Amino acid sequence: MEGTDTTAESIAVWRRLARGNPAAHSAELSKSLSNLALLRLFADPPPQALPAAAEAVQLMQLRHAEAPELHRADLGRCLSILAVCLNAAGLRQERHGAAAGAVRQYEAAWKTDPVRYAFDLARVLDQMGRYLADDERWADALGPLEGGLAWAEAYIHVDPTTYAPSSPGCARRSATAGGGYGNHGNWVDTRKRWCRWIPQ
């Protein structure tokens, strides 16, 4: 797969640079590893994506420990991608920890730049809520979903075109929520409202 090959070449370059100067280059290596993990989800059996995603988190955690203000959002992205990979591999319990970690990092990033990180925070809250709902932890799921919806609604004015309501994708998700969780009215209502704002 061409995209995977290109990303692997990028990783090889960043890995060489990071060996000589980790502080300067390992963050970029981490980002490339996360990108590779996402590509492998489509090209390989899901477990093949996990090593790259896990290494990306480990590297970014080191950079975050040295300069948290610079790498909060980067670590949040790596953790969110790791959660996706864990979920695809069927590691349901582990995905919760990664998703919760992503939320913590984006919450911290949002405090420093609310406009820039509001929708990232909304998305990872939605991710955490969906995983909890998959395990039928309805009460636990509702809080993150409503929190994500609140951030999206509060900052919709930033880019109303991108986050415009009413789309076929939104309608499909609403139907899925209504069909799958029809006995949980608050959950369904939140998911339907949330679908109005998430990017398609």
Coordinates of all heavy atoms in Angstrom, one line a residue, residues 115 118-119 148-165 193-199:
V115 N -10.4 28.1 21.7 CA -11.0 28.1 20.4 C -10.3 27.0 19.5 O -10.9 26.3 18.8 CB -10.8 29.5 19.7 CG1 -11.1 29.4 18.2 CG2 -11.6 30.5 20.4
A118 N -11.4 23.2 21.2 CA -12.7 22.9 21.6 C -13.3 21.7 20.9 O -13.8 20.8 21.5 CB -13.7 24.1 21.4
F119 N -13.1 21.6 19.5 CA -13.7 20.5 18.8 C -12.9 19.2 19.0 O -13.4 18.1 18.9 CB -13.8 20.9 17.3 CG -15.0 21.7 17.1 CD1 -14.9 23.1 16.7 CD2 -16.3 21.2 17.2 CE1 -16.0 23.9 16.5 CE2 -17.4 22.0 17.0 CZ -17.3 23.4 16.6
G148 N -19.2 16.7 25.4 CA -18.7 16.9 24.1 C -19.7 17.8 23.3 O -19.3 18.7 22.6
L149 N -21.0 17.5 23.4 CA -22.0 18.3 22.7 C -22.0 19.7 23.2 O -22.1 20.7 22.4 CB -23.4 17.7 23.0 CG -24.6 18.4 22.4 CD1 -24.4 18.5 20.9 CD2 -25.8 17.7 22.8
A150 N -21.8 19.9 24.5 CA -21.8 21.3 25.1 C -20.6 22.1 24.5 O -20.8 23.3 24.1 CB -21.6 21.2 26.6
W151 N -19.4 21.5 24.3 CA -18.3 22.2 23.7 C -18.6 22.5 22.3 O -18.3 23.6 21.8 CB -17.0 21.4 23.9 CG -16.5 21.2 25.2 CD1 -16.2 20.0 25.9 CD2 -16.2 22.2 26.2 NE1 -15.8 20.3 27.2 CE2 -15.8 21.6 27.4 CE3 -16.4 23.6 26.2 CZ2 -15.4 22.3 28.5 CZ3 -16.0 24.3 27.3 CH2 -15.6 23.7 28.5
A152 N -19.1 21.5 21.6 CA -19.4 21.8 20.1 C -20.4 22.9 20.0 O -20.2 23.8 19.1 CB -19.9 20.5 19.5
E153 N -21.4 22.9 20.8 CA -22.4 24.0 20.6 C -21.9 25.3 21.0 O -22.2 26.4 20.5 CB -23.7 23.6 21.5 CG -24.5 22.4 20.9 CD -25.7 22.1 21.7 OE1 -25.6 22.3 22.9 OE2 -26.6 21.5 21.1
A154 N -21.0 25.3 22.0 CA -20.5 26.6 22.5 C -19.5 27.2 21.5 O -19.4 28.5 21.5 CB -19.7 26.4 23.8
Y155 N -18.9 26.4 20.7 CA -17.9 27.0 19.7 C -18.3 26.8 18.3 O -17.5 27.0 17.4 CB -16.5 26.3 20.0 CG -15.9 26.8 21.3 CD1 -16.1 26.1 22.5 CD2 -15.1 27.9 21.3 CE1 -15.6 26.5 23.7 CE2 -14.5 28.3 22.5 CZ -14.8 27.6 23.7 OH -14.3 28.1 24.9
I156 N -19.5 26.5 18.0 CA -20.0 26.3 16.6 C -19.7 27.6 15.8 O -19.5 27.5 14.6 CB -21.5 25.9 16.6 CG1 -21.9 25.5 15.2 CG2 -22.4 27.0 17.1 CD1 -21.2 24.3 14.7
H157 N -19.7 28.7 16.4 CA -19.6 30.0 15.6 C -18.2 30.1 15.0 O -18.0 30.9 14.1 CB -19.8 31.2 16.5 CG -18.8 31.3 17.6 ND1 -18.9 30.5 18.8 CD2 -17.6 32.0 17.8 CE1 -17.8 30.8 19.6 NE2 -17.1 31.7 19.0
V158 N -17.2 29.3 15.5 CA -15.8 29.4 15.0 C -15.8 29.0 13.5 O -15.1 29.6 12.7 CB -14.9 28.5 15.8 CG1 -13.5 28.5 15.2 CG2 -14.8 29.0 17.3
D159 N -16.5 27.9 13.2 CA -16.5 27.4 11.8 C -17.8 26.8 11.5 O -17.9 25.5 11.4 CB -15.3 26.4 11.6 CG -15.1 26.0 10.1 OD1 -16.0 26.4 9.3 OD2 -14.1 25.4 9.8
P160 N -18.9 27.5 11.3 CA -20.2 27.0 11.1 C -20.4 26.2 9.8 O -21.2 25.3 9.7 CB -21.1 28.2 11.1 CG -20.2 29.4 10.8 CD -18.9 29.0 11.3
T161 N -19.5 26.5 8.8 CA -19.6 25.7 7.5 C -19.2 24.3 7.7 O -19.9 23.3 7.3 CB -18.8 26.4 6.4 OG1 -19.3 27.7 6.3 CG2 -18.9 25.6 5.1
T162 N -18.0 24.1 8.3 CA -17.5 22.8 8.6 C -18.4 21.9 9.5 O -18.6 20.8 9.3 CB -16.1 22.8 9.2 OG1 -15.2 23.5 8.3 CG2 -15.5 21.4 9.4
Y163 N -19.0 22.6 10.5 CA -19.8 21.9 11.5 C -21.3 22.1 11.3 O -22.0 22.2 12.2 CB -19.3 22.3 12.9 CG -17.9 21.9 13.1 CD1 -16.9 22.8 12.9 CD2 -17.5 20.7 13.5 CE1 -15.5 22.5 13.1 CE2 -16.2 20.3 13.7 CZ -15.2 21.2 13.5 OH -13.9 20.9 13.7
A164 N -21.7 22.3 10.0 CA -23.1 22.6 9.7 C -23.9 21.4 10.0 O -23.5 20.2 9.9 CB -23.2 22.9 8.2
P165 N -25.2 21.7 10.4 CA -26.1 20.6 10.7 C -26.6 19.9 9.5 O -26.4 20.4 8.4 CB -27.2 21.3 11.5 CG -27.2 22.7 11.0 CD -25.7 23.0 10.7
R193 N -28.6 15.1 18.9 CA -28.2 16.5 18.9 C -26.7 16.6 18.5 O -26.3 17.5 17.8 CB -28.4 17.1 20.3 CG -29.9 17.2 20.6 CD -30.1 17.6 22.1 NE -29.4 18.8 22.5 CZ -28.7 19.0 23.6 NH1 -28.7 18.0 24.5 NH2 -28.1 20.1 23.9
W194 N -25.9 15.7 19.0 CA -24.4 15.7 18.8 C -24.2 15.6 17.3 O -23.3 16.2 16.7 CB -23.8 14.6 19.6 CG -22.3 14.3 19.5 CD1 -21.7 13.1 19.6 CD2 -21.3 15.3 19.4 NE1 -20.4 13.2 19.5 CE2 -20.1 14.6 19.4 CE3 -21.2 16.7 19.3 CZ2 -18.8 15.2 19.3 CZ3 -20.0 17.3 19.2 CH2 -18.8 16.5 19.2
C195 N -25.0 14.8 16.6 CA -24.8 14.5 15.2 C -25.0 15.8 14.3 O -24.5 15.9 13.2 CB -25.7 13.5 14.7 SG -25.2 11.8 15.1
R196 N -25.6 16.8 14.9 CA -25.8 18.0 14.2 C -24.5 18.8 14.0 O -24.4 19.6 13.1 CB -26.8 18.9 14.9 CG -28.2 18.4 14.9 CD -29.1 19.2 15.8 NE -29.1 20.6 15.4 CZ -29.1 21.6 16.3 NH1 -29.0 21.4 17.6 NH2 -29.1 22.9 15.8
W197 N -23.5 18.5 14.9 CA -22.4 19.4 14.9 C -21.1 18.7 14.5 O -20.1 19.4 14.1 CB -22.2 19.9 16.3 CG -23.4 20.6 16.8 CD1 -24.1 20.3 17.9 CD2 -24.0 21.8 16.3 NE1 -25.2 21.1 18.1 CE2 -25.1 22.1 17.1 CE3 -23.7 22.6 15.2 CZ2 -26.0 23.1 16.8 CZ3 -24.6 23.6 14.9 CH2 -25.7 23.9 15.7
I198 N -21.0 17.4 14.6 CA -19.7 16.8 14.3 C -19.4 16.8 12.9 O -20.3 16.7 12.0 CB -19.6 15.3 14.9 CG1 -20.7 14.4 14.3 CG2 -19.6 15.3 16.4 CD1 -20.6 13.0 14.7
P199 N -18.1 17.0 12.5 CA -17.8 17.1 11.0 C -18.0 15.8 10.3 O -17.9 14.7 10.8 CB -16.3 17.5 11.0 CG -15.8 17.0 12.4 CD -17.0 17.1 13.3

